[in-house]
Amino acid sequence: WVLITYVPPETMLEHALVGAGAAVGAMFRFSISQKASQGAATINAARTRAMWSIAGVNFAGSFALGWLAGSGVPRQQSLLFGTGLCGGFTTYSTFAVDSMQLLSERKLGIAAVFVTSTCVGSIVAAGAGWTIARRLSKRPA
């Protein structure tokens, strides 16, 4: 399926900023998960390493997006670095598939830890980024 939409000329730059940021963010994420799984003794070990590296990516991306939101950057910077880079870097869909795979393998304890730590950790990271940016810029939290 291909979704084709009309992009009005006056918003072309905004779309390009989001696309450029997303491409870079996705490549960063891919590189990190590939590097994390290298050298694993088994396929399961490689998958586990990649899964937890994606959790780390989601924490880092949530912190960065919280920072951007808290610092009040201009719209074009927000589109490039927030919607684009952080959006391409983080991944909810991989988190969801990893979670379902753990559940389908009946690894309920690991699934509970993974889901809880990823959800709570990402929210805490975003809040920390937001708070630090607000304090450094002297903006009210």
Side-chain angles (χ1 to χ4, degrees):
W1 291 70
V2 176
L3 176 63
I4 300 173
T5 60
Y6 170 72
V7 178
E10 62 272 11
T11 64
M12 186 62 71
L13 175 61
E14 292 180 344
H15 284 77
L17 289 169
V18 171
V24 172
M27 287 187 286
F28 282 163
R29 173 175 28 96
F30 177 74
S31 295
I32 289 169
S33 68
Q34 290 297 298
K35 190 72 168 168
S37 61
Q38 285 179 350
T42 65
I43 290 179
N44 280 340
R47 193 180 60 119
T48 299
R49 287 181 183 185
M51 177 185 78
W52 287 105
S53 75
I54 293 299
V57 160
N58 286 334
F59 299 152
S62 295
F63 179 87
L65 189 56
W67 178 286
L68 286 167
S71 64
V73 297
R75 179 170 170 76
Q76 288 186 342
Q77 289 178 8
S78 177
L79 291 171
L80 176 64
F81 296 112
T83 307
L85 185 72
C86 291
F89 184 58
T90 59
T91 173
Y92 189 81
S93 56
T94 301
F95 160 68
V97 169
D98 287 343
S99 301
M100 285 306 306
Q101 192 157 10
L102 289 170
L103 292 171
S104 73
E105 294 169 357
R106 302 205 189 298
K107 296 179 179 177
L108 304 181
I110 296 171
V113 169
F114 181 66
V115 169
T116 302
S117 64
T118 300
C119 291
V120 173
S122 294
I123 293 168
V124 168
W130 172 282
T131 301
I132 291 169
R134 290 286 181 158
R135 288 187 179 158
L136 291 176
S137 66
K138 308 278 193 249
R139 296 178 71 192

